[in-house]
Amino acid sequence: MTGLKPRFYAGGIHLLGSLALALPIVGFIYFFWYPGSLAAAQGVGTIIGILLLAHLILGPVLLTLVYKPHKKEILFDLAVILAIQTAAFLYGLKIIEGGRPLYVVLNVDRFDVVASQDIVMASLEKVPEGLEPSWFGPTWVAARLPSEATAREALMFSSLGGGADLPQLPEYYVSLESMSDSIQFRQRPIHEVKIANKISAAEWSRWLEKLGPSDTGFTYLPLRANARDGVVLVEAGTTKIKGIRIFENEFGVRR
C-alpha cells in the first residue's frame, strides 16, 4: 500500500486542480448561458453533468495510473494528460455553447428559445443595432415578418421545407417594446395554465409562490424550448417580463 500512496496523492492534487478550474466555468454556464429555468428548458443539465464527471475523472485517474515518484518522463506524461483532458473539456464546452439560448424570440403568439447553433449566421450579420447577441445571457427580442411579399414567400417555403424559420433569422428581429401592442393583445390569463393542465391547488400554490401574493397581476405567453416547454410570465397590461416557469410532471400549455 505504501507504493500506492504517492499515486493517490498526485491524483488527489490533480482532482482538486481540475475542480478549481471546472466549477467557475460551470457556474458561468448556469448563471449566464442558461440562466434560471432555461437550463431545464434546453435540457442541458445532463450534458453538463457528463462534462463535469468526465473532466474530474479522466485527468486524475490517468495521472494516478502513470505517476511514479522520481519518474523522468513524468512531466511529459502530465503534459499529455492535460492535453487530453483539455481537449475533452473544450469539446464538451463547444457542444454546450452550441445549445445555449442566444435569443428568446416573440414569434407571433409565443416565445421561442433559439439556440446558438440554430441561428442563420448570414442573417445574424444583418441583425439591427442594439439587438446583437451577448455572451452573458440570452437577448429578448420579437420577430416581425418581412414587408416584401417575395421575402415572406421565401420564408414560408424555407420553413415548410425544414429550413430556417422566422425566429432563426435575426435580420427580422425588432425590440420587444416595438411590439408592445401585440404582446398585450396576446397575453393570456395565467389561470388557464392551471385549468388546461389540471394542476392541483397545492401544486398551483407552490408554482405561484415566487410571483407574489396574487396571480391577478400576471399573464403569460407560451414558451417553446428544446427539451421542455413552459410559459413566459408577463406583468399584466405591459411588456415587462417577470420570468420563465418550466413545468414539472409534464405540465404544459395547450396551444
Side-chain angles (χ1 to χ4, degrees), residues 31 33 46 50 56 99 112 154 198 219 227 229-230 243 246 249-250:
F31 282 101
W33 282 3
T46 301
I50 293 172
L56 296 179
D112 285 0
K198 300 179 181 179
T219 57
D229 292 345
I246 303 301
N249 304 322
E250 303 302 323

Side-chain angles (χ1 to χ4, degrees), residues 14-34:
H14 194 97
L15 175 62
L16 292 177
S18 300
L19 193 62
L21 174 67
L23 287 183
I25 295 175
V26 171
F28 180 87
I29 290 171
Y30 271 115
F31 282 101
F32 294 102
W33 282 3
Y34 295 84

Side-chain angles (χ1 to χ4, degrees), residues 50-68:
I50 293 172
L51 171 67
L52 189 59
L53 190 63
H55 178 70
L56 296 179
I57 290 177
L58 184 61
V61 168
L62 287 176
L63 184 60
T64 301
L65 291 175
V66 305
Y67 182 81
K68 291 180 180 179

Side-chain angles (χ1 to χ4, degrees), residues 39-254:
Q42 293 295 91
V44 76
T46 301
I47 299 174
I48 294 177
I50 293 172
L51 171 67
L52 189 59
L53 190 63
H55 178 70
L56 296 179
I57 290 177
L58 184 61
V61 168
L62 287 176
L63 184 60
T64 301
L65 291 175
V66 305
Y67 182 81
K68 291 180 180 179
H70 311 299
K71 184 180 179 181
K72 293 181 180 181
E73 300 84 1
I74 191 60
L75 291 180
F76 175 79
D77 292 345
L78 182 58
V80 171
I81 290 170
L82 288 175
I84 295 172
Q85 188 178 11
T86 301
F89 192 74
L90 291 177
Y91 178 74
L93 279 182
K94 179 177 176 59
I95 294 174
I96 293 171
E97 193 283 327
R100 75 182 179 99
L102 204 62
Y103 288 97
V104 181
V105 183
L106 176 66
N107 180 19
V108 185
D109 59 352
R110 70 168 188 263
F111 281 94
D112 285 0
V113 179
V114 182
S116 173
Q117 63 194 7
D118 296 328
I119 291 287
V120 177
M121 298 309 297
S123 181
L124 185 60
E125 297 174 357
K126 305 174 186 177
V127 67
E129 185 177 356
L131 302 180
E132 297 87 354
S134 170
W135 281 96
F136 300 97
T139 303
W140 289 72
V141 297
R144 178 179 286 164
L145 284 169
S147 56
E148 300 84 4
T150 54
R152 290 200 302 271
E153 184 178 345
L155 180 60
M156 179 185 69
F157 282 114
S158 173
S159 61
L160 290 176
D165 201 354
L166 184 62
Q168 285 85 48
L169 297 168
E171 62 190 282
Y172 299 124
Y173 290 170
V174 295
S175 67
L176 281 180
E177 290 73 18
S178 68
M179 299 289 285
S180 59
D181 291 343
S182 177
I183 293 175
Q184 293 182 42
F185 175 74
R186 297 182 184 281
Q187 287 176 8
R188 295 156 66 170
I190 200 170
H191 70 265
E192 285 185 3
V193 178
K194 177 182 179 181
I195 296 171
N197 295 279
K198 300 179 181 179
I199 304 175
S200 68
E203 183 66 32
W204 185 245
S205 296
R206 288 194 294 271
W207 193 76
L208 291 175
E209 64 182 1
K210 293 184 180 180
L211 296 184
S214 171
D215 64 359
T216 57
F218 298 93
T219 57
Y220 81 92
L221 287 172
L223 176 76
R224 177 174 290 179
N226 181 54
R228 298 170 67 184
D229 292 345
V231 293
V232 173
L233 304 174
V234 185
E235 191 172 292
T238 73
T239 60
K240 186 176 181 180
I241 304 300
K242 302 298 292 184
I244 292 173
R245 292 292 182 272
I246 303 301
F247 298 107
E248 299 178 2
N249 304 322
E250 303 302 323
F251 290 165
V253 179
R254 294 176 183 172

